[in-house]
Amino acid sequence: MAKRYSFLMQVNHAFDKAAALTEHDPTVLKTIKAVNSVYHIQFPILRDDGSIEVIHAWRAEHSHHKQPTKGGIRYSMAVNEDEIMALAALMTYKCAVVDVPFGGAKGGIKIARHKFSEAELERITRRYTFELVKKNFIGPGIDVPAPDFGTGAKEMAWIADTYTSLATGELNALACVTAKPVSQGGIRGRTEATGRGVYFGIREACDNPEDMKRLGLSRGLEGKRVVVQGLGNVGYHAAKFLAECGAVIVGLAEYEGAICNPKGLDVDEVVEYRRTNESIVDFPGAENVESKAALELDCDILVPAALENQITEENAPRIKAKIIGEAANGPTTGEAADILFQRGCLILPDTYLNAGGVTVSYFEWVKNLSHVRFGRMEKRFEQGAYRRLLKAVEKVTGKHFTDAEINEIARGASEEDLVNSGLEETMVMAYQQLIEIREAHEGKITLRTAALINAIDKIAASYEHLGIFP
Ligand code: GLU
């Protein structure tokens, strides 16, 4: 049996591999790799039945080369210190890859969230936030959490409320956390952002003629057979955007089981069925598959959108997909990635592919600091300018535009339009950078290594003029 490496060891191993291909000073590399600070908290919580439970929670800040640090908070029984440190490191590299000016962080609370009532979850979340405040592990310019596995907008609203109630008079207090509900200072498009970013990344990959030729696939998303593991916020939205753009969702996996249908599954219908039946199994018209075996289904693109360590050296040899889209953080182990690379598989790495969430979190943070909704100043002005332009075209051509045409063409950008356009720009540009780095290494490195080289170069540049390294 092969030695099992911890998650942090795996992330560091991937880092070392990329670092060896750079020319940076070893002390700079060592500084970048280190997890700067870890806070482990244990606090008691009053259960609804009057009993007391001691909760374990963590927050790790990996790199302060840019501040604040940024990263989600997960609620799961699998949470432990090593995992949180590894995920914090991935956040640092991810932010650098997509040019989001934050250091990386991650938090986690070790609970099975379905075993707690909403009131209990609120008490846990507020107490956790209070503990972070006490030790300076949260704040608009310090460390800014967001959702992750097992958390969402509601938890972020509790965090924002706890923080703002303690930060009397702090004008920018709402920027202490992102992915809040829009009514609490959130931004439109954040909920879908990670899934939308996954879609943009896969679309870019499928648009690359050389890669598609090498994989024996046609160019574009049309007709590509996709399997998605995880129907949470990320998996659901990724599947939905991919299907809307012509891909066929042939398999969907959840922890209770998986389903497949080569003719395609309607993601919304499956989600609705799962809500009613509390299981994905026996979805009408589909065949049941064992949960983990769904990763091995015949498909073109496999999108693991659940947890880390799903594709290992054990199941990698049986995986049929030619493209792996890492929507989750760390779903493919280093050994599995090597096996798949040898086989010619294209892995779109997590540090790039799931960066849409933190990208739009950055937009939300900027919105909170600027205290004005994106598009508020220019939307009407743009609309007026386009209308004047259309009138001029009418005059010159003699053509008359219908009201529907005018409304469609002469439209000022809304907050959501701007968020989605900023996200698309980010994902497209970041992909180009990865391809350039891979080319510079004559195509001999994986995109995972290219992403890490990219991150290391950018982070090292931020230390360049400080004079603290030889
Ligand atoms: N938890 C998400 C991630 O892993 C989002 C982080 C954020 O928005 O800060 O990227």
Side-chain angles (χ1 to χ4, degrees), residues 194-441:
T194 313
R196 194 186 289 274
V198 168
Y199 150 69
F200 284 139
I202 294 178
R203 184 194 72 185
E204 286 311 290
C206 290
D207 210 33
N208 183 308
E210 290 89 42
D211 276 335
M212 289 307 106
K213 197 166 161 217
R214 191 176 53 77
L215 295 172
L217 295 171
S218 61
R219 205 170 152 191
L221 273 175
E222 193 64 41
K224 293 268 181 315
R225 298 162 308 142
V226 180
V227 171
V228 179
Q229 182 202 38
L231 266 179
N233 180 39
V234 179
Y236 165 73
H237 283 107
K240 215 170 143 54
F241 292 126
L242 287 167
E244 272 169 23
C245 291
V248 186
I249 309 297
V250 293
L252 288 169
E254 260 298 342
Y255 61 87
E256 73 274 9
I259 52 172
C260 70
N261 184 348
K263 292 204 195 85
L265 295 157
D266 182 312
V267 185
D268 280 317
E269 280 177 18
V270 175
V271 167
E272 191 47 45
Y273 174 87
R274 186 166 185 249
R275 194 167 305 155
T276 324
N277 299 278
E278 289 176 3
S279 169
I280 200 172
V281 180
D282 290 337
F283 179 73
E287 198 182 305
N288 292 332
V289 190
E290 198 260 312
S291 181
K292 217 51 199 296
L295 298 172
E296 298 158 27
L297 284 168
D298 190 18
C299 64
D300 303 312
I301 307 173
L302 173 63
V303 182
L307 285 170
E308 59 266 20
N309 289 333
Q310 298 302 300
I311 305 174
T312 62
E313 61 192 324
E314 193 278 311
N315 60 0
R318 297 191 299 277
I319 284 182
K320 299 187 187 68
K322 292 181 173 159
I323 301 174
I324 315 279
E326 293 192 323
N329 291 310
T332 319
T333 66
E335 296 91 345
D338 288 343
I339 296 172
L340 293 165
F341 183 61
Q342 302 294 325
R343 265 214 350 244
C345 254
L346 180 69
I347 302 184
L348 305 173
D350 50 0
T351 41
Y352 162 68
L353 197 68
N354 71 32
V358 78
T359 300
V360 176
S361 275
Y362 166 49
F363 300 156
E364 179 175 329
W365 181 78
V366 171
K367 172 188 178 177
N368 292 153
L369 297 185
S370 60
H371 300 270
V372 62
R373 163 168 54 83
F374 287 111
R376 179 168 174 180
M377 310 296 279
E378 57 274 52
K379 185 166 178 262
R380 296 272 158 178
F381 181 82
E382 281 172 6
Q383 187 177 310
Y386 290 138
R387 274 173 198 259
R388 285 194 293 279
L389 211 63
L390 288 182
K391 284 263 172 288
V393 172
E394 277 181 338
K395 218 162 147 190
V396 176
T397 61
K399 175 181 158 56
H400 188 72
F401 292 107
T402 64
D403 283 351
E405 281 170 333
I406 292 175
N407 290 340
E408 171 60 24
I409 304 167
R411 201 167 62 84
S414 68
E415 177 172 85
E416 197 165 357
D417 293 327
L418 293 168
V419 162
N420 292 342
S421 133
L423 174 59
E424 182 168 7
E425 164 73 4
T426 303
M427 296 305 292
V428 171
M429 296 309 287
Y431 197 70
Q432 278 175 20
Q433 288 178 14
L434 299 195
I435 296 297
E436 276 164 26
I437 294 172
R438 191 180 64 175
E439 295 305 299
H441 289 82

Side-chain angles (χ1 to χ4, degrees), residues 70-72 91 94 106 144 146-148 178 190 329 354 357-358 361:
K70 186 90 190 77
M91 283 309 301
K94 189 189 304 189
K106 202 71 157 203
V144 182
D148 199 84
T178 57
R190 174 61 183 85
N329 291 310
N354 71 32
V358 78
S361 275

Side-chain angles (χ1 to χ4, degrees), residues 127-176:
R127 176 66 189 258
Y128 176 69
T129 310
F130 184 72
E131 296 295 332
L132 295 182
V133 171
K134 273 201 324 200
K135 289 280 192 282
N136 236 3
F137 265 79
I138 185 171
I142 299 170
D143 188 354
V144 182
D148 199 84
F149 188 86
T151 53
K154 195 187 287 171
E155 286 76 17
M156 302 309 115
W158 290 329
I159 293 173
D161 188 59
T162 309
Y163 183 86
T164 47
S165 66
L166 292 167
T168 329
E170 198 182 311
L171 191 59
N172 294 326
L174 267 184
C176 70

